């Protein structure tokens, strides 16, 4: 009810960094809260969309993206490492690369993406299709920005 | 003119958790800026609000557990 009285607008393009790495959002609804323009999107949906995209993203995962995945899964660095057969310092090393490619090895990276899909996709068919895409992809070592159109992509989930 | 204080919410944490669960929260640009300065990200804040503490054990607590 209060939102109706507040000023609203749509921003053509905005870079959101609240997840620890830049995400390009297009056609984003904004709302004025205490004199400042603020994102007016469902952030739980955005996080799930970002995770799904990271699983499919054909580029090396960056340190901050790995950190976001780990935090979303609510795992400590040791627990996260154990899942993929690596030690705690290896996870620290990946995450230290921040917005650069983490240089995580290809099989571990595939494992992580598939494991993430398993957590996110409830339907078996969806998982099988996604599995094929992830399993056949050779990831490029140059990190690229993730892009979402708020008016279409965030409505889909 | 004096503004009256808004009524105190008794079960504030439960209200916050409900807002998080249903997505009724916003991340202001100011909050994003401050989080980046402190290298904190959104899922960490959500976890703390939901569970009252962070899941990375402090060194002291680890020592006590040993």
């Amino acid at each position: 009810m209060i939102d109706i009285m507040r000023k609203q607008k749509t921003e053509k393009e905005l870079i959101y960094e609240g997840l620890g790495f830049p995400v390009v959002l297009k056609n984003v609804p904004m709302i004025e809260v205490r004199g400042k323009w603020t994102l007016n999107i469902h952030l739980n949906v955005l996080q799930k969309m970002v995770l799904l995209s990271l699983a499919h993203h054909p580029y090396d995962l960056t340190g901050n993206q790995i950190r976001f995945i780990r935090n979303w899964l609510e795992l400590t660095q040791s627990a996260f490492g154990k899942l993929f057969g690596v030690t705690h310092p290896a996870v620290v090393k990946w995450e230290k690369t921040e917005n650069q490619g983490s240089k995580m090895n290809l099989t571990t990276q595939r494992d992580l993406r598939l494991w993430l899909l398993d957590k996110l996709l409830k339907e078996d068919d969806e998982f099988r299709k996604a599995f094929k895409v992830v399993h056949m992809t050779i990831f490029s070592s140059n990190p690229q920005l993730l892009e979402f159109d708020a008016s279409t992509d965030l409505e889909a989930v | 003119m004096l503004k009256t204080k808004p009524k105190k919410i008794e079960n504030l944490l439960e209200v916050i958790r409900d807002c998080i669960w249903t997505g009724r929260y916003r991340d202001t640009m100011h909050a994003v800026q401050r989080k980046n300065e402190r290298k904190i990200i959104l899922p960490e804040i959500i976890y703390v609000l939901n569970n009252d503490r962070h899941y990375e054990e402090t060194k002291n607590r680890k020592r006590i557990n040993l």
Side-chain angles (χ1 to χ4, degrees):
Chain A
M1 283 292 275
I2 302 162
D3 283 358
I4 300 166
M5 290 151 68
R6 286 182 175 152
K7 280 189 202 169
Q8 299 192 30
K9 68 172 183 179
T10 305
E11 192 78 35
K12 271 196 172 175
E13 195 172 301
L14 185 140
I15 297 178
Y16 175 63
E17 299 201 67
L19 306 178
F21 55 92
V23 175
V24 180
L25 297 172
K26 289 181 175 172
N27 303 315
V28 208
M30 306 283 287
I31 192 162
E32 199 175 32
V33 180
R34 285 179 235 116
K36 303 267 181 190
W37 287 105
T38 305
L39 289 179
N40 191 21
I41 55 172
H42 198 305
L43 287 164
N44 293 351
V45 174
L46 176 71
Q47 289 183 79
K48 280 197 177 168
M49 275 308 293
V50 168
L51 286 161
L52 260 179
S53 303
L54 284 176
H56 290 94
H57 202 49
Y59 301 96
D60 246 0
L61 292 171
T62 66
N64 285 343
Q65 288 169 344
I66 294 169
R67 187 166 161 245
F68 167 66
I69 295 171
R70 180 177 66 78
N71 278 303
W72 190 83
L73 295 167
E74 298 178 356
L75 293 170
T76 61
Q77 289 175 325
S78 313
F80 187 76
K82 260 184 200 166
L83 272 178
F84 305 105
V86 296
T87 55
H88 156 257
V91 180
V92 174
K93 202 175 149 192
W94 293 333
E95 292 186 4
K96 255 190 186 170
T97 57
E98 300 196 340
N99 280 328
Q100 305 297 319
S102 61
K103 292 176 184 160
M104 181 191 264
N105 91 34
L106 188 64
T107 44
T108 314
Q109 201 162 150
R110 274 187 186 146
D111 262 4
L112 170 57
R113 288 170 197 258
L114 293 172
W115 197 76
L116 193 55
L117 285 174
D118 187 36
K119 286 266 164 201
L120 292 166
L121 302 177
K122 284 169 191 154
E123 304 256 336
D124 277 357
D125 280 351
E126 278 180 335
F127 179 73
R128 274 192 210 112
K129 278 180 203 161
F131 179 92
K132 278 181 193 161
V133 175
V134 172
H135 206 66
M136 302 306 282
T137 306
I138 293 166
F139 305 107
S140 159
S141 55
N142 298 331
Q144 290 286 316
L145 290 179
L146 289 175
E147 277 190 18
F148 298 96
D149 188 320
S151 59
T152 53
D153 299 339
L154 301 185
E155 291 294 317
V157 179
Chain B
M1 208 160 65
L2 278 173
K3 276 187 184 176
T4 50
K5 261 189 175 177
K7 217 177 168 187
K8 198 175 172 183
I9 302 169
E10 293 294 332
N11 50 346
L12 186 60
L13 266 174
E14 276 175 38
V15 174
I16 290 171
R17 281 168 194 153
D18 185 56
C19 288
I20 290 170
W21 181 250
T22 51
R24 282 181 289 124
Y25 61 95
R26 294 195 181 100
D27 203 6
T28 63
M29 293 303 163
H30 178 73
V32 170
Q33 190 190 341
R34 289 285 183 265
K35 277 190 296 179
N36 286 343
E37 283 168 10
R38 292 163 176 77
K39 301 207 170 176
I40 298 168
I41 59 175
L42 188 62
E44 286 176 294
I45 293 173
I46 291 175
Y47 183 89
V48 171
L49 289 172
N50 278 330
N51 299 281
D52 304 331
R53 64 187 186 89
H54 198 265
Y55 47 82
E56 292 277 7
E57 284 187 62
T58 61
K59 280 179 187 169
N60 285 341
R61 188 173 291 166
K62 267 184 189 166
R63 276 189 207 122
I64 293 164
N65 287 344
L66 281 172

